[in-house]
Amino acid sequence: MAPEPQHYESTATPHDAAPDTSATPAQPARRSGIASLAADDFSVIESIGGVRGVIESVLPGLVFLVMFLITRDLTLTVRVCGALCAVEVLARLVQRQTVTGALSGVVMMLICLYAAYKSNDARNYYLPGCIINAVWVVALLASQACKAPGIGLVVEFVRRPPADGLREWYRAWHDDAALVRAYAIATWVWIAMFVVRDAFQVPLYLGGNVGVLGAVTLVLGVPLFAVVCWVSYLIIGTPLHEHREREKAAADGR
């Protein structure tokens, strides 16, 4: 499937009680995926969406695989997984999230379920993910060719949106050679992840072995994603910290 977790910013925030904003400042939303690399206090578990993010990323694919292998009934499997989507959306709405936030975690699963159901072929549950992997590879390779590393573009956009103009925003970080070099290396790491996924998944898809394809997809999902996020942070952490310090010094000197 597609890079798990699919959402780049966690929307799971507790709403058991209204926060007392007069006593404590509002806490920023925890980011996941590539966006988590922009955080000052990077955490591997937060990068994959926390415990809830892991469950919501792994459970749909696991349920689909187990249900289909046990029943060999694609229609029943799709219905059960569709019900799981409905429960997930309902749970988020109960937590007073927006409709968009509630749907963000299940859209990819619904696309995969539709692909399998429409074609009456369980293999096609995994086809959208293979396509998205290829799209990521092309997009990141293009960014490398343009000497504007894709991981850097995402991290910098999250860290400091271009409020003062796109050119000024781009030059503010792209003129830092050490930081750009780190972003370029990290981008190659992400390209490698997507290539590895499709290198395993596409032959299995073409071979029609749904059981092995599903198992490999799970292994190359959250676990590999977490490793790539951690390695990316090891690569960009120091140069990004030094860049922040220079930004702060420049701001203080004004």
Side-chain angles (χ1 to χ4, degrees):
M1 289 183 62
E4 292 98 348
Q6 297 304 318
H7 32 274
Y8 289 116
E9 179 162 343
S10 175
T11 56
T13 53
H15 294 276
D16 295 332
D20 183 358
T21 54
S22 63
T24 57
Q27 295 297 317
R30 299 294 298 186
R31 299 184 179 99
S32 59
I34 298 174
S36 68
L37 299 173
D40 291 321
D41 54 343
F42 174 80
S43 164
V44 173
I45 189 64
E46 292 294 342
S47 73
I48 54 178
V51 174
R52 179 171 183 170
V54 173
I55 293 173
E56 290 183 346
S57 297
V58 173
L59 189 59
L62 182 61
V63 170
F64 181 90
L65 180 61
V66 172
M67 279 291 302
F68 181 74
L69 291 180
I70 290 176
T71 66
R72 292 293 173 178
D73 187 332
L74 181 58
T75 300
L76 175 62
T77 300
V78 169
R79 286 177 178 173
V80 170
C81 291
L84 181 61
C85 288
V87 170
E88 182 179 325
V89 171
L90 181 60
R92 287 184 175 272
L93 291 177
V94 167
Q95 290 182 312
R96 302 177 189 176
Q97 293 185 18
T98 63
V99 174
T100 301
L103 291 175
S104 63
V106 302
V107 169
M108 187 60 192
M109 183 180 179
L110 291 175
I111 293 173
C112 294
L113 290 173
Y114 178 80
Y117 180 77
K118 188 68 175 178
S119 63
N120 195 32
D121 188 343
R123 293 183 308 161
N124 287 333
Y125 176 83
Y126 303 99
L127 182 58
C130 293
I131 294 172
I132 290 178
N133 288 335
V135 170
W136 270 104
V137 170
V138 172
L140 292 177
L141 283 175
S143 75
Q144 294 285 63
C146 294
K147 300 189 182 304
I151 299 304
L153 290 172
V154 175
V155 171
E156 291 296 328
F157 186 87
V158 172
R159 187 178 73 85
R160 190 176 177 181
D164 300 327
L166 195 59
R167 179 176 296 180
E168 290 75 13
W169 166 82
Y170 182 75
R171 291 186 61 183
W173 64 271
H174 198 267
D175 287 347
D176 187 332
L179 182 60
V180 173
R181 188 181 309 112
Y183 281 145
I185 296 171
T187 300
W188 283 119
V189 172
W190 284 77
I191 290 172
M193 179 185 72
F194 294 119
V195 169
V196 167
R197 283 180 171 176
D198 270 0
F200 281 93
Q201 292 172 323
V202 171
L204 290 171
Y205 171 85
L206 295 175
N209 193 327
V210 176
V212 178
L213 174 59
V216 168
T217 299
L218 290 173
V219 172
L220 297 180
V222 173
L224 180 59
F225 188 87
V227 171
V228 167
C229 285
W230 176 63
V231 171
S232 298
Y233 174 72
L234 293 181
I235 293 169
I236 73 172
T238 297
L240 182 55
H241 173 74
E242 292 174 349
H243 183 76
R244 281 194 177 104
E245 291 299 308
R246 286 192 291 270
E247 285 181 334
K248 183 179 179 182
D252 291 343
R254 291 175 184 172

